[in-house]
Amino acid sequence: EMLGFELELLKAGIAHNAKVYCLWHHRIWAVDRLVKMGVEGVLDTELSLCNDLLKLDERNFHCWGYRLAISERAGLTEEQGLDFTKEKIDRNFSNYSAWHYR
């Protein structure tokens, strides 16, 4: 329960300033604990959050790095990752963050 509250607090912090390293690092720490506890759906929720945040700022490399970490934990394939980056590049060819994570 406390970790769920912590994720909400971190989400508010990220909404205020999405380019603070410590927020992203602490968020992955909290997610790892929830996954270890067997909480269902955490990784899907985090991927959805990343998708929403990257719609707001498609070049936020903090969010891209976090998405990569979550994708690995969720067991997404390299092809799924490439499909995601291709979608972002098709939307904006000069999205250097998407190119970097290909």
Side-chain angles (χ1 to χ4, degrees):
E1 185 177 312
M2 185 63 135
L3 287 172
F5 172 76
E6 205 156 333
L7 286 180
E8 287 303 314
L9 181 63
L10 290 166
K11 186 176 178 181
I14 289 168
H16 179 70
N17 186 348
K19 297 182 180 180
V20 177
Y21 286 103
C22 59
L23 294 172
W24 294 103
H25 287 285
H26 190 68
R27 189 167 185 92
I28 198 70
W29 176 87
V31 165
D32 283 344
R33 298 306 165 282
L34 289 168
V35 168
K36 240 181 223 183
M37 293 167 50
V39 176
E40 298 278 328
V42 175
L43 297 173
D44 290 335
T45 300
E46 293 304 294
L47 284 171
S48 180
L49 173 68
C50 290
N51 293 344
D52 292 344
L53 291 172
L54 288 173
K55 286 177 187 170
L56 298 174
D57 181 2
E58 62 191 14
R59 295 182 185 188
N60 182 341
F61 68 90
H62 302 281
C63 187
W64 276 97
Y66 182 74
R67 188 185 189 286
L68 179 62
I70 294 297
S71 296
E72 290 171 351
R73 285 160 173 79
L76 269 61
T77 65
E78 287 182 14
E79 187 171 331
Q80 289 171 306
L82 285 172
D83 289 345
F84 182 80
T85 58
K86 184 180 180 316
E87 176 188 316
K88 296 299 181 189
I89 291 167
D90 287 347
R91 186 170 296 134
N92 178 0
F93 187 76
S94 66
N95 183 341
Y96 298 111
S97 293
W99 280 107
H100 177 78
Y101 282 97
R102 282 190 60 82

